[in-house]
Amino acid sequence: MARSSKSAETKKQNEYDFDMLNQWMVNGIIQKVLSTSDKLNTYKVDVPTKTPKGNISHAYILVKEFSSEAPFEPGTKVTITGNISTGSYQAKDGTTKYSQDLIAESIKELN
């Protein structure tokens, strides 16, 4: 997917590109395909990291990929580039729940 950007002529010297500040790149392993349709694939991705003591810690993130291609298989190692989307909703018990999703611009399989 190509990313549109402002031309050099329209960008002011001190103007910040906030879209680029929200850019994320993570390496992870597809744990589960949560849903798939003709335009959207949703994954649970394991992003393993090392703690200061050298132990492996696992963070699980929700990744949404707007694509008509077949979803990646669980266990596939990938690099994901995209933007964080935050939201909130009311749970059945009346409490407010918060969510963070990574909206993928690209997902590339690692060898």
Side-chain angles (χ1 to χ4, degrees):
M1 293 182 203
R3 198 176 170 91
S4 63
S5 62
K6 297 178 184 176
S7 67
E9 295 82 32
T10 61
K11 239 182 196 182
K12 295 179 184 174
Q13 188 173 11
N14 294 325
E15 183 179 335
Y16 292 102
D17 188 347
F18 288 103
D19 195 36
M20 291 304 292
L21 293 173
N22 189 25
Q23 187 83 41
W24 284 70
M25 180 182 282
V26 296
N27 291 326
I29 303 166
I30 304 287
Q31 289 295 306
K32 187 176 185 180
V33 178
L34 299 174
S35 66
T36 185
S37 69
D38 60 341
K39 295 183 182 179
L40 176 68
N41 298 321
T42 306
Y43 306 101
K44 177 182 176 184
V45 177
D46 177 14
V47 182
T49 56
K50 280 192 176 179
T51 65
K53 293 183 178 182
N55 300 326
I56 300 293
S57 173
H58 297 271
Y60 295 94
I61 60 173
L62 186 70
V63 176
K64 293 183 178 180
E65 174 193 33
F66 291 92
S67 172
S68 58
E69 296 181 29
F72 287 96
E73 294 294 321
T76 305
K77 294 180 181 180
V78 294
T79 296
I80 303 164
T81 304
N83 296 303
I84 295 290
S85 173
T86 60
S88 64
Y89 61 93
Q90 293 287 19
K92 291 181 182 178
D93 62 3
T95 60
T96 302
K97 303 290 182 179
Y98 299 93
S99 65
Q100 291 183 341
D101 303 335
L102 180 58
I103 309 301
E105 284 186 20
S106 70
I107 301 178
K108 295 183 181 169
E109 186 172 351
L110 299 174
N111 295 331

